[in-house]
Amino acid sequence: MSNKNRKREEFDEFMGKEMLTQKQQAESHMRYEDTQIDERILRAVREMGYEEMTPIQEQAIPLFMTGQDMIGQAQTGTGKTAAFGIPILQKIDPDNRNLQAVILCPTRELAMQAAEELRKFSKYMHGIKVLPIYGGQDIVRQIRNLKGGAQIIVGTPGRVMDHMRRHTLKMDDVHTVVLDEADEMLNMGFREDIETILKQMPEKRQTGLFSATMPKPILELTRAYQKDAVYVRMTPEEVTIPLIKQAYYQVRRQDKEEVLCRLIDYYDPKRALIFCNTKRMVDELTEHLKARGYEAEGLHGDLSQHQRDTVMNLFRSGRAGILIATDVAARGIDVNDVEAVYNYDVPEDIEYYVHRIGRTGRAGKTGRSFTLVVGREAYKIRDIERTCHTRIKERKIPSAADITSRKASKILKEAVHVAQQQDISRATEYILEEIALGEYSAVEIAAAFMQMKLGDEIEDIKSEKFSFDRKANHRGRSRDGRSGSRGGNRDHYGKKAGQRSDRGRGRSDSRNSHYAALRVKTKKQT
Ligand code: ADP
Ligand code: MG
């Protein structure tokens, strides 16, 4: 039995509660209008452009409104904030200025995001104040803001505890507590803080726990701090996977960076996320990609809050098209229009995979995911396919020539667009004058323009000594889990090494031709 299934069974057994099945989830989506939601919230929701509820909202909103303790599991980007935020807003008594609801989030960024979302929902509800409370912000100012009377706080555990110690947060009237991104808070070592906070909450309260994954410690928190919680689980495959084209590439470890760059060049996404398994790898890869001329920024837990903000602003605004991150750092970051997700490392946990690729293909758009697989890691791909009932295709690595021809067709498309949309009569005159001289045809002149646009890349096609891509592909789907074999690798790349020595070329020389396509990118972007 897969890990995930085992976890599920454990949960089902523990809960002994009615579970919401996939079938129920698949039925058509509820509209906000058709619910008991307050008219003022509905108005705000309409303004925000939401029409249908997301699956987790459909299940969680009516349930949470009944006052029931619950656990909501759904992957990142599925609208969990509204799932608990709307019911909370409905429960707040605006005439009572005391604190009534506490939402805990793992990071300042997430706290701010969630607080902002709640403010939007409550735009037409007068007298409701939502305050984010996080470390790094001047505590004196926070205290002043709290004194102004906030009914809802969205805070990071450390800072919330601080305020509790200082008695600047009074919990007497708190009737609702939510742990948002609970798994991540546990990952980040907030367990003790969370427990300290929960222990000081009024006994009579509603407790919600929202999370993308369900590791064991969450069960323990549930046992200790929730009453008869109902578990609502959205299966990730249903939410996003059909919209994402997933591919994987069998590569040698030392070729990973090269292959990644080719995939970026070939698909040329406007906004891309690259995931690594470690902070160190994030740093290293960021540095290397920057050196190659890519506008890439790295994000991980060791950055200061200021650095994080800078990186996120660059990525959001599009000044950096590539964000390289660890799973933890990327959690909950809400950026739309991510066109591609690259798994530089195969994730250690299947749920992480679903999570990572769920960052693309949002809002009905199709996205792409690319996973680099070294040697035996191919079995992990099979695992993911089985567990998520999805298909991840092995693909061939684009060659430098593939990349160039793709660029050429893009340039042609642009040219056609200009011909259609702009007045090109003057330019046409210049060309006709040149043709009248009789030395060159229109085709030759067009080709020369193309060459100018492509720059050195035409040269790269010529200088490409060998293509590790096409051969790699021959191994194709012959791998069956057992293989992904070292033998296969040695075989394939052994040949390559042979070619090199046949020509009496040194290793570094061959590598240069590998990198040829990338130098172009470097030149262009810097
Ligand atoms: P999660 O907490 O599950 O990661 P969020 O609550 O941050 O997800 O929501 C992700 C994005 O989806 C946000 O930009 C949010 O505004 C948007 N969103 C949430 N609910 C809906 C909806 N029903 N329709 C359209 N967009 C929505
Ligand atoms: Mg969230």
Side-chain angles (χ1 to χ4, degrees):
M1 198 188 336
S2 79
N3 222 353
K4 193 166 173 182
N5 286 338
R6 202 158 32 238
K7 263 191 225 161
R8 279 185 188 169
E9 290 210 341
E10 240 170 51
F11 234 116
D12 298 354
E13 199 183 7
F14 168 70
M15 292 304 191
K17 284 266 166 186
E18 197 183 333
M19 302 279 307
L20 297 153
T21 62
Q22 288 189 22
K23 251 201 221 102
Q24 281 171 285
Q25 293 173 32
E27 279 158 16
S28 81
H29 297 298
M30 208 185 280
R31 299 177 58 83
Y32 283 95
E33 266 74 11
D34 308 331
T35 58
Q36 301 300 309
I37 297 174
D38 190 298
E39 188 48 49
R40 294 164 299 173
I41 298 178
L42 287 179
R43 195 170 152 202
V45 164
R46 267 195 300 272
E47 263 179 33
M48 289 162 78
Y50 298 5
E51 285 168 12
E52 286 186 339
M53 289 193 182
T54 66
I56 184 74
Q57 290 167 359
E58 204 170 270
Q59 305 292 352
I61 291 176
L63 186 67
F64 210 62
M65 275 183 185
T66 64
Q68 171 77 51
D69 278 5
M70 67 166 287
I71 303 177
Q73 180 187 1
Q75 75 174 114
T76 304
T78 52
K80 293 191 288 297
T81 317
F84 58 79
I86 290 176
I88 286 180
L89 286 171
Q90 297 216 149
K91 277 175 81 179
I92 300 297
D93 172 6
D95 298 328
N96 178 356
R97 307 300 302 166
N98 291 340
L99 183 62
Q100 297 168 48
V102 174
I103 298 158
L104 295 179
C105 288
T107 63
R108 157 177 160 170
E109 176 124 41
L110 288 172
M112 292 195 317
Q113 255 174 37
E116 190 49 42
E117 182 106 345
L118 288 193
R119 278 183 183 158
K120 283 190 198 153
F121 288 134
S122 61
K123 183 173 168 192
Y124 297 107
M125 303 179 102
H126 297 291
I128 293 190
K129 202 169 149 197
V130 185
L131 208 60
I133 295 283
Y134 45 81
Q137 193 189 41
D138 178 18
I139 195 155
V140 179
R141 208 170 95 206
Q142 269 175 8
I143 292 171
R144 206 178 315 130
N145 284 338
L146 282 169
K147 282 206 176 114
Q151 293 103 337
I152 304 174
I153 60 156
V154 187
T156 50
R159 184 53 71 99
V160 168
M161 272 210 334
D162 246 17
H163 281 288
M164 287 169 84
R165 270 198 296 266
R166 289 166 187 256
H167 302 290
T168 41
L169 272 181
K170 281 186 52 201
M171 302 297 176
D172 303 336
D173 290 356
V174 171
H175 50 62
T176 312
V177 180
V178 164
L179 309 184
D180 188 20
E181 315 276 356
D183 52 347
E184 217 40 64
M185 288 200 285
L186 294 173
N187 273 347
M188 292 173 73
F190 283 135
R191 177 157 180 176
E192 258 179 55
D193 293 2
I194 291 171
E195 296 202 48
T196 309
I197 293 167
L198 287 174
K199 278 177 190 147
Q200 294 180 47
M201 291 294 173
E203 184 69 12
K204 197 170 166 301
R205 61 156 200 269
Q206 182 183 13
T207 310
L209 201 152
F210 289 80
S211 189
T213 61
M214 280 293 144
K216 219 167 186 163
I218 291 194
L219 272 175
E220 290 156 18
L221 279 184
T222 298
R223 274 198 189 102
Y225 301 100
Q226 288 190 303
K227 288 191 195 102
D228 303 323
V230 172
Y231 176 35
V232 175
R233 179 186 67 218
M234 296 301 128
T235 43
E237 53 267 41
E238 224 168 335
V239 186
T240 49
I241 286 185
L243 292 172
I244 301 166
K245 285 188 192 146
Q246 307 164 70
Y248 77 92
Y249 300 82
Q250 188 82 44
V251 299
R252 294 191 303 176
R253 190 170 303 284
Q254 62 267 42
D255 290 333
K256 276 174 103 174
E257 203 174 296
E258 165 70 15
V259 171
L260 173 73
C261 290
R262 285 194 181 186
L263 291 172
I264 294 172
D265 290 352
Y266 189 73
Y267 291 99
D268 197 23
K270 274 202 267 307
R271 201 173 265 168
L273 266 169
I274 301 173
F275 285 97
C276 300
N277 287 355
T278 64
K279 294 173 194 168
R280 229 178 100 194
M281 199 60 241
V282 168
D283 280 337
E284 204 180 301
L285 190 61
T286 307
E287 198 180 302
H288 291 181
L289 289 196
K290 276 184 172 168
R292 286 171 176 237
Y294 293 93
E295 282 149 346
E297 294 292 333
L299 188 76
H300 59 63
D302 286 353
L303 300 188
S304 71
Q305 191 60 55
H306 177 70
Q307 287 170 314
R308 282 179 64 95
D309 290 347
T310 310
V311 166
M312 283 315 297
N313 284 337
L314 285 170
F315 188 56
R316 259 197 198 124
S317 67
R319 273 171 294 158
I322 300 173
L323 184 69
I324 307 172
T326 55
D327 292 286
V328 172
R331 170 62 64 85
I333 286 170
D334 177 30
V335 177
N336 289 322
D337 295 331
V338 173
E339 288 180 11
V341 169
Y342 296 86
N343 295 311
Y344 189 72
D345 299 316
V346 179
E348 269 146 25
D349 188 314
I350 290 177
E351 292 193 41
Y352 278 151
Y353 177 84
V354 177
H355 235 152
R356 288 178 177 187
I357 70 165
R359 299 324 185 71
T360 180
R362 293 227 189 146
K365 290 187 191 140
T366 46
R368 283 179 178 279
S369 80
F370 307 88
T371 304
L372 303 189
V373 168
V374 176
R376 286 164 199 265
E377 284 175 344
Y379 83 89
K380 293 186 185 168
I381 296 289
R382 306 278 164 264
D383 256 9
I384 294 170
E385 287 187 318
R386 270 193 302 272
T387 312
C388 303
H389 310 290
T390 187
R391 187 82 176 81
I392 307 171
K393 283 206 186 112
E394 180 173 19
R395 302 192 84 115
K396 86 178 171 74
I397 299 155
S399 66
D402 291 337
I403 294 167
T404 308
S405 84
R406 180 110 167 185
K407 279 185 184 159
S409 72
K410 203 171 151 196
I411 292 168
L412 266 181
K413 252 193 218 137
E414 279 167 24
V416 168
H417 187 76
V418 170
Q420 285 170 341
Q421 304 288 323
Q422 295 180 20
D423 177 9
I424 54 168
S425 53
R426 283 303 292 273
T428 309
E429 277 173 33
Y430 297 134
I431 303 276
L432 287 175
E433 278 169 28
E434 182 56 42
I435 289 173
L437 296 177
E439 265 191 80
Y440 299 100
S441 69
V443 171
E444 282 167 322
I445 293 170
F449 276 116
M450 170 68 84
Q451 178 117 345
M452 282 160 65
K453 273 288 233 184
L454 281 172
D456 294 345
E457 285 169 49
I458 297 275
E459 286 308 307
D460 291 329
I461 298 177
K462 287 188 211 141
S463 71
E464 203 178 21
K465 301 280 188 311
F466 53 81
S467 152
F468 70 0
D469 332 281
R470 285 177 212 292
K471 278 186 214 145
N473 199 42
H474 284 314
R475 292 168 47 249
R477 295 210 62 86
S478 65
R479 258 173 308 91
D480 56 3
R482 258 179 310 137
S483 52
S485 58
R486 292 257 162 84
N489 276 344
R490 208 181 303 126
D491 199 49
H492 160 53
Y493 291 107
K495 239 182 256 152
K496 209 169 78 181
Q499 274 181 346
R500 270 184 218 143
S501 51
D502 285 351
R503 296 183 189 185
R505 285 186 187 281
R507 179 188 157 81
S508 63
D509 204 346
S510 295
R511 283 193 73 81
N512 280 343
S513 70
H514 265 242
Y515 285 92
L518 297 154
R519 273 206 311 274
V520 172
K521 182 102 186 175
T522 308
K523 276 184 201 149
K524 276 194 151 170
Q525 294 202 345
T526 44

